[in-house]
Amino acid sequence: MLTPTLKWSLSSVWIAIVAGSVWFNFSQIDSSAVQMAITEGRAGWFTDQAYRQWVIGKGGIYVPPNEKYPPSPYLSHIPERDISTPSGKPLTLINSSYMVRQVHDMAPLSNAAKVHITSLRPLRPENRADAWESKALKLFEKGEKEIWALSEINGTKYLRLMRPMLTTQECLKCHGRQGYEVGDIRGGVSVSVPFAPYEEAASNQKQSLLLWHVLIGLLGILGIWFAFSRIVRNEKLLQNALKDSENAKQTVMELNETLEAKVRDEVAKSRQKDLLLIQQSRLASMGEMIHIIAHQWRQPLNTLAVILANIQDDYKYNELSEESLSNAVAKSRKILNQMSQTIDDFRNFFRSDKEAKPFDTVDIIEESLVVIDAALKNNNIEIVKEYERPLPGYGYPNQLSQVILNLLTNAKDAVKERKSGSGKIVIRAFAENGDVRIEISDNAGGIDEAIIGKIFDPYFTTKESGSGIGLYMARMIVEHNHGGTISAVNTGEGAEFTIRIPHHAQMKTQKDG
């Protein structure tokens, strides 16, 4: 007979599982907050460098002096620091540091990132490095390229990020007398991002996550107690029936078999309900939503970083044209729009009021390639396309685009980890037996046969920093929202993923029927 001790033991185990899930998701929320602050810090650093490079590239600029911004005493050694226009209006030369400082003085917002140029041998006393910056500058001299940490400034918590400033030929115009040579680490630029907004957002997400887990915990405990109550009640009925009469043994045995079957059915139903509640609550909770969005955003953010780096390199080598800059801006805007759409798509993922619509499968593939194009080129990965048009599909194009992007990202990472030879990803799309078939294959060596059957399971991953949610969500989108299938096999050169969804005409026939 089931004892109350077992009931309490199962309840304790359930509470431990829920508490462990809370702890895990809390740590992921904190990590996401730090990563977003780091991203803002890097964006501030790139903006600061863009200002500086603009002025440096022009050898400085002349502006009218005023009381707040008089002629720089640190440029007094330059013969033409002060000049006049033909009409007699005085002008003074300002360098990149003086210009950027004036720009930052225009918007001293308390919640804005603070940018500070500093050095161990500063010309201006205001540029003297604090304790944290001094430590970072010494690490730069040992080869570090970027330093970041959470630190307090005047009692306020900041995410501080710093990168070195290398001496160029243009820098010697102002700093040559300090003994610097081209290539020396002259100092660094630190960006301090207020961390309070990120902590507040993380706190709100934790509160929502905790509420969901409390509800899940209560429902699980109620389910356990309800199942035990039903089992105990049925056992008592059986015992009473046995005591009533020895003449009813056969009837009691039949009743016992019936009751046992009912108990098994009720326990199975209760467990199924618990599993559904856990799955739905995880997908609906803010913590799980951050997991999914972070997984989908990681590659677009990397792509944006690559685009910015390419712009900087083009500018550095005088290859930056108006056309290439416009193309980079357009591509970046498209990536940002898709990142924003990702939030809406996954927030509304299981809502029944979402409307499906027809789409061109090849267009979906091309849109996904736009997002990852820069990362593929940066890793010297060749893309081979074999399309058949038209390929009309019916469903949710943004979700299908996320699936394709996830497969392309996994293929890129696999090729990159191989570290030798030329990388190649082949994308095929064609109609076959009433279906639209999409194949994405690589030459990265394939997936271990021992785990290939588990790669679509939730939270299964072979990556050190992976969440194990990408391929699981891909299967959910393809099977549940498009009535299709997704599978993976190893070929001679690598892995091949195949997506099958009904052809548009086939899908409409099924829906009409």
mmCIF file of all heavy atoms in Angstrom, residues 24-45:
data_model
loop_
_atom_site.group_PDB
_atom_site.id
_atom_site.type_symbol
_atom_site.label_atom_id
_atom_site.label_comp_id
_atom_site.label_asym_id
_atom_site.label_seq_id
_atom_site.Cartn_x
_atom_site.Cartn_y
_atom_site.Cartn_z
ATOM 1 N N PHE A 24 18.635 27.739 -12.419
ATOM 2 C CA PHE A 24 19.274 27.699 -13.737
ATOM 3 C C PHE A 24 18.839 28.887 -14.588
ATOM 4 O O PHE A 24 19.663 29.569 -15.199
ATOM 5 C CB PHE A 24 18.929 26.392 -14.440
ATOM 6 C CG PHE A 24 19.436 26.305 -15.855
ATOM 7 C CD1 PHE A 24 20.765 26.038 -16.119
ATOM 8 C CD2 PHE A 24 18.576 26.512 -16.935
ATOM 9 C CE1 PHE A 24 21.236 25.969 -17.419
ATOM 10 C CE2 PHE A 24 19.041 26.449 -18.234
ATOM 11 C CZ PHE A 24 20.379 26.178 -18.470
ATOM 12 N N ASN A 25 17.529 29.155 -14.637
ATOM 13 C CA ASN A 25 17.029 30.250 -15.481
ATOM 14 C C ASN A 25 17.439 31.601 -14.925
ATOM 15 O O ASN A 25 17.675 32.538 -15.694
ATOM 16 C CB ASN A 25 15.507 30.154 -15.616
ATOM 17 C CG ASN A 25 15.072 29.069 -16.571
ATOM 18 O OD1 ASN A 25 15.163 29.217 -17.787
ATOM 19 N ND2 ASN A 25 14.616 27.944 -16.039
ATOM 20 N N PHE A 26 17.524 31.742 -13.585
ATOM 21 C CA PHE A 26 18.000 33.001 -13.007
ATOM 22 C C PHE A 26 19.425 33.295 -13.466
ATOM 23 O O PHE A 26 19.757 34.429 -13.817
ATOM 24 C CB PHE A 26 17.958 32.925 -11.478
ATOM 25 C CG PHE A 26 16.630 33.342 -10.888
ATOM 26 C CD1 PHE A 26 15.467 33.264 -11.651
ATOM 27 C CD2 PHE A 26 16.533 33.776 -9.577
ATOM 28 C CE1 PHE A 26 14.238 33.632 -11.117
ATOM 29 C CE2 PHE A 26 15.316 34.161 -9.040
ATOM 30 C CZ PHE A 26 14.167 34.089 -9.806
ATOM 31 N N SER A 27 20.285 32.264 -13.455
ATOM 32 C CA SER A 27 21.672 32.464 -13.888
ATOM 33 C C SER A 27 21.731 32.857 -15.361
ATOM 34 O O SER A 27 22.566 33.675 -15.763
ATOM 35 C CB SER A 27 22.491 31.191 -13.649
ATOM 36 O OG SER A 27 22.012 30.126 -14.447
ATOM 37 N N GLN A 28 20.835 32.282 -16.189
ATOM 38 C CA GLN A 28 20.816 32.634 -17.609
ATOM 39 C C GLN A 28 20.363 34.078 -17.809
ATOM 40 O O GLN A 28 20.864 34.794 -18.682
ATOM 41 C CB GLN A 28 19.887 31.675 -18.376
ATOM 42 C CG GLN A 28 20.372 30.235 -18.385
ATOM 43 C CD GLN A 28 21.718 30.090 -19.040
ATOM 44 O OE1 GLN A 28 21.956 30.623 -20.118
ATOM 45 N NE2 GLN A 28 22.631 29.384 -18.384
ATOM 46 N N ILE A 29 19.394 34.534 -16.996
ATOM 47 C CA ILE A 29 18.907 35.917 -17.106
ATOM 48 C C ILE A 29 20.037 36.883 -16.746
ATOM 49 O O ILE A 29 20.269 37.885 -17.433
ATOM 50 C CB ILE A 29 17.690 36.129 -16.194
ATOM 51 C CG1 ILE A 29 16.469 35.360 -16.752
ATOM 52 C CG2 ILE A 29 17.353 37.611 -16.065
ATOM 53 C CD1 ILE A 29 15.276 35.391 -15.842
ATOM 54 N N ASP A 30 20.779 36.583 -15.635
ATOM 55 C CA ASP A 30 21.889 37.455 -15.239
ATOM 56 C C ASP A 30 22.956 37.506 -16.328
ATOM 57 O O ASP A 30 23.497 38.561 -16.651
ATOM 58 C CB ASP A 30 22.504 36.950 -13.931
ATOM 59 C CG ASP A 30 21.579 37.146 -12.733
ATOM 60 O OD1 ASP A 30 20.712 38.045 -12.810
ATOM 61 O OD2 ASP A 30 21.693 36.400 -11.749
ATOM 62 N N SER A 31 23.265 36.336 -16.922
ATOM 63 C CA SER A 31 24.269 36.288 -17.984
ATOM 64 C C SER A 31 23.815 37.110 -19.188
ATOM 65 O O SER A 31 24.604 37.830 -19.796
ATOM 66 C CB SER A 31 24.520 34.834 -18.384
ATOM 67 O OG SER A 31 25.414 34.773 -19.477
ATOM 68 N N SER A 32 22.514 37.021 -19.545
ATOM 69 C CA SER A 32 21.996 37.773 -20.688
ATOM 70 C C SER A 32 22.078 39.276 -20.438
ATOM 71 O O SER A 32 22.391 40.048 -21.345
ATOM 72 C CB SER A 32 20.549 37.363 -20.978
ATOM 73 O OG SER A 32 20.475 36.011 -21.340
ATOM 74 N N ALA A 33 21.796 39.705 -19.180
ATOM 75 C CA ALA A 33 21.874 41.131 -18.851
ATOM 76 C C ALA A 33 23.290 41.651 -19.052
ATOM 77 O O ALA A 33 23.509 42.723 -19.616
ATOM 78 C CB ALA A 33 21.403 41.363 -17.416
ATOM 79 N N VAL A 34 24.286 40.878 -18.603
ATOM 80 C CA VAL A 34 25.680 41.295 -18.752
ATOM 81 C C VAL A 34 26.057 41.358 -20.233
ATOM 82 O O VAL A 34 26.716 42.311 -20.685
ATOM 83 C CB VAL A 34 26.617 40.323 -17.997
ATOM 84 C CG1 VAL A 34 28.071 40.628 -18.327
ATOM 85 C CG2 VAL A 34 26.382 40.433 -16.498
ATOM 86 N N GLN A 35 25.640 40.345 -21.013
ATOM 87 C CA GLN A 35 25.991 40.326 -22.433
ATOM 88 C C GLN A 35 25.380 41.507 -23.181
ATOM 89 O O GLN A 35 26.011 42.099 -24.063
ATOM 90 C CB GLN A 35 25.525 39.000 -23.064
ATOM 91 C CG GLN A 35 26.333 37.788 -22.616
ATOM 92 C CD GLN A 35 27.810 37.929 -22.952
ATOM 93 O OE1 GLN A 35 28.166 38.392 -24.035
ATOM 94 N NE2 GLN A 35 28.670 37.543 -22.019
ATOM 95 N N MET A 36 24.138 41.883 -22.856
ATOM 96 C CA MET A 36 23.511 43.030 -23.522
ATOM 97 C C MET A 36 24.229 44.323 -23.149
ATOM 98 O O MET A 36 24.405 45.209 -23.987
ATOM 99 C CB MET A 36 22.031 43.097 -23.154
ATOM 100 C CG MET A 36 21.189 42.022 -23.839
ATOM 101 S SD MET A 36 19.413 42.237 -23.633
ATOM 102 C CE MET A 36 19.227 41.740 -21.932
ATOM 103 N N ALA A 37 24.673 44.443 -21.870
ATOM 104 C CA ALA A 37 25.429 45.638 -21.472
ATOM 105 C C ALA A 37 26.773 45.691 -22.195
ATOM 106 O O ALA A 37 27.229 46.759 -22.606
ATOM 107 C CB ALA A 37 25.632 45.634 -19.960
ATOM 108 N N ILE A 38 27.420 44.524 -22.363
ATOM 109 C CA ILE A 38 28.686 44.483 -23.104
ATOM 110 C C ILE A 38 28.461 44.930 -24.551
ATOM 111 O O ILE A 38 29.266 45.682 -25.127
ATOM 112 C CB ILE A 38 29.282 43.060 -23.063
ATOM 113 C CG1 ILE A 38 29.763 42.732 -21.644
ATOM 114 C CG2 ILE A 38 30.442 42.922 -24.049
ATOM 115 C CD1 ILE A 38 30.228 41.305 -21.475
ATOM 116 N N THR A 39 27.359 44.479 -25.160
ATOM 117 C CA THR A 39 27.042 44.868 -26.534
ATOM 118 C C THR A 39 26.873 46.385 -26.648
ATOM 119 O O THR A 39 27.366 47.021 -27.586
ATOM 120 C CB THR A 39 25.764 44.161 -26.999
ATOM 121 O OG1 THR A 39 25.964 42.748 -26.955
ATOM 122 C CG2 THR A 39 25.412 44.571 -28.427
ATOM 123 N N GLU A 40 26.180 46.989 -25.654
ATOM 124 C CA GLU A 40 26.014 48.448 -25.676
ATOM 125 C C GLU A 40 27.365 49.142 -25.515
ATOM 126 O O GLU A 40 27.650 50.146 -26.171
ATOM 127 C CB GLU A 40 25.075 48.898 -24.563
ATOM 128 C CG GLU A 40 24.836 50.397 -24.568
ATOM 129 C CD GLU A 40 23.883 50.864 -23.487
ATOM 130 O OE1 GLU A 40 23.213 50.016 -22.891
ATOM 131 O OE2 GLU A 40 23.819 52.085 -23.240
ATOM 132 N N GLY A 41 28.234 48.575 -24.645
ATOM 133 C CA GLY A 41 29.553 49.159 -24.458
ATOM 134 C C GLY A 41 30.369 49.130 -25.734
ATOM 135 O O GLY A 41 31.047 50.101 -26.076
ATOM 136 N N ARG A 42 30.318 47.996 -26.444
ATOM 137 C CA ARG A 42 31.072 47.903 -27.705
ATOM 138 C C ARG A 42 30.520 48.872 -28.744
ATOM 139 O O ARG A 42 31.280 49.480 -29.508
ATOM 140 C CB ARG A 42 31.011 46.479 -28.225
ATOM 141 C CG ARG A 42 31.868 45.504 -27.414
ATOM 142 C CD ARG A 42 31.629 44.076 -27.807
ATOM 143 N NE ARG A 42 32.499 43.160 -27.058
ATOM 144 C CZ ARG A 42 32.292 41.854 -26.949
ATOM 145 N NH1 ARG A 42 31.248 41.308 -27.563
ATOM 146 N NH2 ARG A 42 33.116 41.102 -26.246
ATOM 147 N N ALA A 43 29.182 49.028 -28.768
ATOM 148 C CA ALA A 43 28.586 49.973 -29.710
ATOM 149 C C ALA A 43 29.057 51.395 -29.414
ATOM 150 O O ALA A 43 29.366 52.166 -30.327
ATOM 151 C CB ALA A 43 27.056 49.888 -29.651
ATOM 152 N N GLY A 44 29.134 51.744 -28.101
ATOM 153 C CA GLY A 44 29.634 53.063 -27.727
ATOM 154 C C GLY A 44 31.078 53.254 -28.138
ATOM 155 O O GLY A 44 31.477 54.338 -28.581
ATOM 156 N N TRP A 45 31.868 52.187 -28.001
ATOM 157 C CA TRP A 45 33.286 52.270 -28.386
ATOM 158 C C TRP A 45 33.432 52.489 -29.889
ATOM 159 O O TRP A 45 34.226 53.324 -30.333
ATOM 160 C CB TRP A 45 34.007 50.988 -27.958
ATOM 161 C CG TRP A 45 35.493 51.064 -28.161
ATOM 162 C CD1 TRP A 45 36.435 51.515 -27.303
ATOM 163 C CD2 TRP A 45 36.209 50.656 -29.347
ATOM 164 N NE1 TRP A 45 37.688 51.426 -27.851
ATOM 165 C CE2 TRP A 45 37.592 50.910 -29.113
ATOM 166 C CE3 TRP A 45 35.834 50.125 -30.567
ATOM 167 C CZ2 TRP A 45 38.566 50.633 -30.059
ATOM 168 C CZ3 TRP A 45 36.811 49.845 -31.502
ATOM 169 C CH2 TRP A 45 38.157 50.102 -31.250
#
